Amino acid sequence: VSPDRARRRRETGGDEEAPRQNGSGSGRRRGDQPQTDGDGGDSAIGSNDLQDDDNDPGLRREIRSKYRDLINSVQQNREDMLSPSNNKLTEVLEQANKLFKDVRQAREAALDAQLLVVATDLGKEKASQLFSEGAAFDPTAFAEHLLSFMGLNRLEDGDDEQNGVDGYLPQDAWHRLARRADWCFRTAPSFHYMMGSFHAEPPPPKQRIERQRKAPSKEAKRIMPTQLRKMEESHQEATEKEVERILGYLRGYYGDEPTSPISYYEFVIDPNSFSRTVENIFHTSFLIRDGLARIYLDKAKLPCIEPVEEGEVEAGGPSSRKQCIISISPKMWRVSKFQLLTLQQHKTLL
Amino acid sequence: MAQRRRQSAPQNQSQAAAQEEDDDLTFTQPSTSQVQRGLEKVTNAQVDQKTAEVVQYVLVKDQKKIPIRRADLVKHVVKEYRNIYPEIIKRAVRTFDQVFGLSLVEIDTKNHIYILVNKLDKEEGASQFNNPTNPKIGLLFVILSVIFMKGGVVRENLIWNTLKKLRVDPGEKHEEFGDVKKVVTDEFVRQRYLEYARIPHTEPAEYEFRWGQRADMEVSKAKILEFMGQLHEQEPQSWSQQYREAHSSSAQTGTSSSQR
């Protein structure tokens, strides 16, 4: 809470982003007041008054912003200021002089210098206007004469009232000007085939098409096969592995207690995950399809599952197989999972 | 014309070494003796045939007023006759001059870029019977006149402001010109009517316009000034500086076809 903070404040004051913190400026200044007194030795200027003025971020910002506005207005109204009929350049310079009285920091001085550059440039152009021999050329007057030449009807309203310009410019205005301006050009008349021709430049478009096609197709060739192979491999492998894993479990359970039937639902339902449950059903269906396991109904008409012995495989033949669809929704899963959990609790309690 | 070619040939060679490397790798200007030897191997009719192809290529290329690069000419048309290129171009220049009343001008002797210029001045009112005029000529005229009247170089802002007064806003799509900014800073620049370059040491970057090489060849400053006088109801002489420039350079432009 001491010199550190004061220094930080000075740094942010000199920062380009400073104006954004406008709101917090005054509050912080009040809080910092005693510290500024405290670390007076830190600063080059002795007087508290001056220093206050120097470091007041609000004031600094205001000066910089005024300078920027001034520079902007000079740049925006350049053409106006160039006109010999007004004294705007002098006004700008007087304004800048007023601002300069409060300039304390290097950045403000730099802005003052920037304004000077802009003003000097304007001055130079004004001077060149002054010394050019003969009549001066005024683009504004030129534009007015051109509009008249193009057939501007100043009494009628324009179709589109843009920028507040009034008067109606006929459709063929630019054609009218072009016809007259054409005399100044010694353009070679362009050549045309009497019976028409192909597009004027057939080869370049062709090339472009070729190039465009070549590039992506190469890329695609390079990427696509590897991608595809990977996907197929991984998918097949993953499914196969899962099916094998599940068969392992089924045989394990069955081997533990060959006499007690394994409830199908108990086997496939994962009480912690609905998606795992769906996956289990999916993978188990492969076991059934391949004849590695079979499902039967017990006395209570509940489905049970058991592995098929190696020798028994395909014994019944594919014709005797039946198909059935098992559906499960999250709601069903939630209910059955609850039952399953209580069942397991019972078992462990027993 | 013929003399000019022969004179410039050795000069081109010395330049060739330096710049040919990056631009047209495929082609170096053959020496006079090489051309002589090359000509012995082909019949006159063959050279004339190639010349006719060059003439046609240039005419078709000129439709869009994009300058023709020697490198393209050699690559697409001259091909295996490149060893007698100077002779072919000499004959093409003669054909343009005598048959079409056009002159084939090399506007850039360093990069070997050609344009076609009309040798015949347009008579007042003559073009009214002619094919419909391109309104872009009007736009170009305004820009070239402002540049010329302002002493040869202007900041782009002056151009945009002047155009805005003529109801052409570079930021908006114009019904006649479309994307005005693109037409002015891209199309006219590529056609070499204008040069558009960043003013050094400007931050943010500012750009300025000058006349391009094609404008120097094609456009008569004296005639611009004449039109200017008509518009302002002043004597062209009243812009004494511009008048002097127009009439010293018009002498140049007028004979440029045989000088350059």
Side-chain angles (χ1 to χ4, degrees), chain A residues 262-335:
Chain A
I262 303 161
S263 158
Y264 174 74
Y265 284 114
E266 216 177 313
F267 182 66
V268 293
I269 286 170
D270 183 341
N272 300 315
S273 154
F274 173 69
S275 59
R276 286 296 302 179
T277 306
V278 173
E279 266 175 41
N280 285 343
I281 294 174
F282 173 65
H283 291 130
T284 310
S285 69
F286 280 98
L287 293 178
I288 310 294
R289 185 200 66 181
D290 296 338
L292 294 164
R294 95 163 68 86
I295 288 179
Y296 62 94
L297 298 179
D298 66 3
K299 283 167 208 156
K301 298 264 181 186
L302 286 171
C304 290
I305 187 165
E306 65 175 359
V308 175
E309 301 300 332
E310 291 290 337
E312 287 178 69
V313 179
E314 292 293 317
S319 57
S320 69
R321 285 211 206 130
K322 285 170 187 141
Q323 287 186 1
C324 83
I325 294 166
I326 294 164
S327 68
I328 187 161
S329 65
K331 197 180 163 193
M332 282 163 67
W333 170 74
R334 246 174 274 129
V335 172

Side-chain angles (χ1 to χ4, degrees), chain A residues 180-210:
Chain A
R180 174 59 182 85
D182 202 40
W183 304 343
C184 307
F185 287 73
R186 292 189 310 147
T187 312
S190 55
F191 161 86
H192 295 291
Y193 290 101
M194 282 174 84
M195 305 297 284
S197 77
F198 299 112
H199 181 63
E201 291 171 274
K206 254 189 208 164
Q207 271 181 341
R208 241 176 277 143
I209 291 162
E210 258 175 22

